[in-house]
Amino acid sequence: MQITRQADYAVRAVLYLSRVGNSQRSATSTVAKEQRIPPSFLAKIISQLSIAGLLHTSRGARGGVTLARDPKDITLLEVVEAIDGPIMLNECVGDNATCTFDHDCPLRPVWCDAQEELVTRLKGTTFAQLMSQN
């Protein structure tokens, strides 16, 4: 199981903006170049992160992008879900009615536990923590 390339790019963009800080706006072209993200792909990602309330964007000569909140207040889960939607390891985790085995399925509890652990880990990881690891 793997997050999408788009979510990976989003995480890298937010981490970059966390390192730069909110004292200055970053041009999307700079973010794209520094993080090796195709500029056209980054534009879509920036838009999705902005809609999710994670980034502020402004256009024009002095335009650019900044974090909407402090890095300690942005989690890895928020960024991934802003791009990929809610994490769902298997469709039965969200709705056990989709399982043909219903309550007799020995796998559903494993999927549910694994998803809960993953979501908890991503929710408990902030960009401030990620920055402090380097």
Side-chain angles (χ1 to χ4, degrees), residues 4-30:
T4 64
R5 179 168 300 197
Q6 191 173 356
D8 180 57
Y9 287 159
V11 167
R12 288 198 273 149
V14 171
L15 186 58
Y16 175 82
L17 293 170
S18 296
R19 288 183 177 133
V20 170
N22 281 349
S23 59
Q24 64 181 23
R25 289 188 167 101
S26 296
T28 55
S29 60
T30 303

Side-chain angles (χ1 to χ4, degrees), residues 2-3 5-6 9 12 17 20-21 30 37 48 57 63 66 70-71 73 75 82 85 94 100 118 120:
Q2 184 173 341
I3 64 169
R5 179 168 300 197
Q6 191 173 356
Y9 287 159
R12 288 198 273 149
L17 293 170
V20 170
T30 303
I37 302 170
Q48 288 176 276
T57 61
T66 59
D70 193 276
D73 298 323
T75 69
T100 58
L118 177 59
T120 299

Side-chain angles (χ1 to χ4, degrees), residues 85-106:
I87 291 177
M88 193 69 56
L89 292 181
N90 195 328
E91 64 184 354
C92 68
V93 172
D95 181 10
N96 67 345
T98 61
C99 183
T100 58
F101 293 103
D102 206 20
H103 297 291
D104 296 327
C105 181

